[in-house]
Amino acid sequence: MADSDADPNPAPGPLAGLRIIDLTTVIMGPYAAAILGDLGADVIKVEEPAGDMARGIGPRRHPGMSGLALNLNRNKRSVAIDLKAPEGREVLADLVRGADAVLTNLRPASRERLGLTYEALAAVNPGVVLCTAQAFRTGSDVENLAAYDDIVQARSGMTSLYQRAGGEQGYAPFVVADKVCGLTVVYSLLAALMHRERTGEGQWVDVPMVDTMIAFNLVEHLNGHTFEPPEGGFGWTRVLTANRRPQRTADGWVCLLPYSDRNWRDFFDHIGRPELGADPRFGTVDRRHANMAALLDVVAAAAAERTTAQWLEFCARVSIPATPVMELEDVPDDPYVREGGLVTTAIHPTEGRYRAVSTPARFSRTPGRLRRHAPRLGADTRDVLAEAGHTVARIDNLLAAGVAYAAGEPAALEAAG
């Protein structure tokens, strides 16, 4: 991978001109805000003096600059303000006046205490869009319960899918709820901003994680219960089959996925089992899905008789979907990934060389890109407060009082411990 650096003068992204106040922590909200930053928005990350928890999770070279932070905080500016102090809330109000949207994953009670209700923000900036994204729906009787990704997976029915697939209750080996909900935040926030562009009206958008994941899970798994009365059970058989997994070949692993009627006829002919093409269990896509376990047994037995390369050659020739199985550690150096610039090596001014994950969407005129490296906590406090109309003397007073913190300055160093 070629080294790259943040481009201080890039072509503007599609969201250039938007300013987002990011009051989120950990993964879901920061992930959403990072996407908005990748696409050109000016994202101002407002953190408490102790910093976002994610700054201290996982490997790091310096305090507050973990691997998570390097990618989740890219294309953002960092302002550290004590929002529990009345003066800190006044500073935040000054930032909101010049913003297009405010994003927070604080629970409703905390938002109320800090004056982060839609009514309070709209009084400062009538056109602002407030996007709230916490575990449970605002206004529900559980709105203030604490929750993280595992809780959301369990509450939305996702963990039970592992049991339906023949195993035990389990969690996905990645923070699927955080990332799905982060993507939902992005499109919901942009939809509200499009409405404001047309009408001038700001609004409040609530993206509860549990609701989002229930909707996500039920796309295919509502299944027979789509109908009243039900025409079958919950769960889509094709993806809940215990032996739905990559197939072992004579020398490795492959994912073989014949799908269409033609794919299966070609596959059955290739393995010397043409009679299976006339088997009523496998004659249509619906019957194949209903009998997926038996079908995958056939695929697994056949896969072991040829090498991975032989399977890939055959599948490419007859247009059957197939791919070699990638180990996670091999993905960044895969030729496809390198050629697409999906993972590049960037050079951070304090953290040195690191791998930066690029936005996967491609824009022909307004590409997203790495414009700013992840900032240290409070790295942009002075600049952002000056843009909001604060004088140098006023900023000095806020710093001296411990209401605001700036990276590298004595008060900030003391706060960082």
Side-chain angles (χ1 to χ4, degrees), residues 92-93 96-97 99-102 115-131 196 200-204:
L92 179 62
V96 170
R97 286 189 183 91
D100 296 285
V102 175
L116 292 173
T117 63
Y118 175 67
E119 292 74 18
L121 298 180
V124 172
N125 179 352
V128 77
V129 171
L130 170 64
C131 184
R196 193 196 65 178
E201 297 174 339
Q203 63 179 298
W204 173 25

Side-chain angles (χ1 to χ4, degrees), residues 13 15 20 31-43 74-76 368-371:
L15 300 185
I20 312 293
Y31 175 58
I35 293 171
L36 296 168
D38 289 349
L39 299 180
D42 177 18
V43 178
R74 66 179 183 259
N75 291 328
K76 301 180 184 180
R369 64 184 70 192
L370 179 63
R371 294 175 292 109

